[in-house]
Amino acid sequence: MGLLDSSGDLSAEMEVDAFRRLFPLRYYERHLAESIRPDGRPLGRARDTTVALGAVSSADGSALAKIGSTTMLAAIKMEVMTPSAESPDEGCIAIEFHMPPICSPIVRPGRPAEAAVVVSKQLSDTILSSGMIDLKELALVSGKAAWMAYLDIYCLDADGALFDAALLSAVAAFSHLQIPVVSVNDKGKIVAFTEEGDGRKLEKEAVNKEKIKLTLGSIPFSLTCALHKKYILADPTSEEESIMETLVTVVMDSSDRLVSFYKPGGPALAYTSLVTDCVALTRHRMKELEKILDEAFSGMEVD
């Protein structure tokens, strides 16, 4: 009897799996009617999220962020540069988002993923427009030296809501960032001060005596939602993103300000109330993420 039961269960499971692959939208609509998703989440709940700081020891700031299976590794490297004539008292930030083939079956070797370019621009626009970082804090000597912060984010697993996870990893990396000590070399140039590498110390005294942390302003957080008819699915998986009619990403900051509302193509929103509901879900998600970041820093202090 046990074998028959097992066989029956297996047969039923195979039928469900086949139905899911052949008629994915109908499969999801059956769940939506019950206000639940195939992974057991309520429609408005995001996946479990974790943040680990200092994931890359050779970087000046780094973090590993996971939202469900979606995984992002962010690393910041600081270099001294000559500021532009237009902004002599400001540093710069350069952001690149990478999607290597290991992150998803749809990313092919030798071909840059289309999503990588889109997410890179979104990240740059969001971080620079949010006011999280005061570029004047990156200045060293007016018109002569300033910091260039190179932020690279690597997608290790792409299972939906890529921008949300990438932004979270970027915020965590900048929160973890320690600006290096700088000194004047024998040629009179300001350079990063290192005691390791070639085994030599710079003869001139360091300009700043210790590493410095940035003073972050309003911190941006985002939530991507998949919309189908009157339903809103917060933090969609890649499968949900491929099935649902519309995707929207809401970005808010820690001052409760709406930074941006991003909708890449798709049909017009049928219900204006959907926008209000997405903002409300983002506001709730922002509080969750603030708590997660606080816990990550508390864990570092204990260590």
Side-chain angles (χ1 to χ4, degrees):
M1 289 297 293
L3 290 175
L4 290 175
D5 290 342
S6 298
S7 177
D9 291 343
L10 180 59
S11 176
E13 185 178 332
M14 290 177 65
E15 289 180 5
V16 171
D17 186 57
F19 180 77
R20 182 173 186 168
R21 284 185 282 111
L22 292 172
F23 308 101
L25 185 55
R26 287 175 57 189
Y27 174 82
Y28 265 88
E29 286 180 334
R30 289 186 178 185
H31 286 80
L32 295 179
E34 302 295 329
S35 297
I36 199 166
R37 293 148 85 166
D39 60 9
R41 281 186 292 156
L43 303 189
R45 181 180 297 174
R47 293 168 288 178
D48 291 342
T49 302
T50 59
V51 172
L53 302 174
V56 182
S57 60
S58 59
D60 296 308
S62 62
L64 181 73
K66 293 190 68 175
I67 299 179
S69 296
T70 301
T71 307
M72 300 288 170
L73 178 64
I76 302 171
K77 202 68 179 175
M78 304 295 289
E79 288 190 7
V80 178
M81 65 159 196
T82 301
S84 65
E86 295 78 16
S87 304
D89 298 311
E90 292 183 358
C92 289
I93 299 172
I95 301 172
E96 280 210 44
F97 179 72
H98 309 270
M99 292 186 69
I102 59 167
C103 76
S104 170
I106 65 174
V107 179
R108 301 297 181 186
R111 296 181 182 179
E114 293 182 9
V117 179
V118 175
V119 174
S120 286
K121 187 177 187 311
Q122 269 187 280
L123 286 169
S124 296
D125 291 345
T126 299
I127 290 174
L128 294 174
S129 67
S130 66
M132 179 178 74
I133 298 171
D134 182 359
L135 296 179
K136 292 184 183 299
E137 276 201 62
L138 299 178
L140 288 168
V141 178
S142 179
K144 294 184 178 180
W147 285 111
M148 167 67 85
Y150 291 97
L151 169 63
D152 287 284
I153 300 175
Y154 296 88
C155 179
L156 305 183
D157 195 338
D159 187 26
L162 301 187
F163 175 76
D164 299 346
L167 180 60
L168 179 59
S169 70
V171 167
F174 274 114
S175 300
H176 175 256
L177 172 66
Q178 290 188 314
I179 298 178
V181 176
V182 290
S183 180
V184 180
N185 66 11
D186 294 337
K187 297 181 181 179
K189 287 188 176 182
I190 293 180
V191 295
F193 179 79
T194 58
E195 294 187 1
E196 299 177 356
D198 60 5
R200 295 182 298 130
K201 293 185 179 181
L202 296 175
E203 295 180 2
K204 302 276 180 95
E205 187 177 5
V207 174
N208 51 308
K209 304 293 184 182
E210 57 186 16
K211 293 183 178 180
I212 303 171
K213 293 189 71 68
L214 282 176
T215 303
L216 301 184
S218 296
I219 297 176
F221 296 99
S222 67
L223 178 66
T224 296
C225 297
L227 309 182
H228 180 67
K229 296 180 180 178
K230 63 179 180 179
Y231 300 107
I232 301 175
L233 285 71
D235 178 31
T237 63
S238 58
E239 180 184 34
E240 291 170 339
E241 288 183 346
S242 67
I243 294 170
M244 299 302 152
E245 297 173 343
T246 308
L247 291 175
V248 297
T249 299
V250 181
V251 183
M252 300 188 70
D253 65 20
S254 51
S255 299
D256 203 32
R257 178 175 64 101
L258 179 63
V259 177
S260 65
F261 186 91
Y262 181 72
K263 178 182 173 295
L269 297 180
Y271 307 95
T272 54
S273 61
L274 290 176
V275 176
T276 304
D277 292 341
C278 288
V279 171
L281 286 171
T282 305
R283 184 174 287 113
H284 175 74
R285 177 60 169 164
M286 181 173 64
K287 294 177 181 177
E288 292 180 344
L289 295 176
E290 286 177 336
K291 184 178 179 181
I292 289 169
L293 281 176
D294 287 343
E295 289 174 350
F297 275 97
S298 296
M300 281 201 69
E301 290 173 3
V302 171
D303 294 340

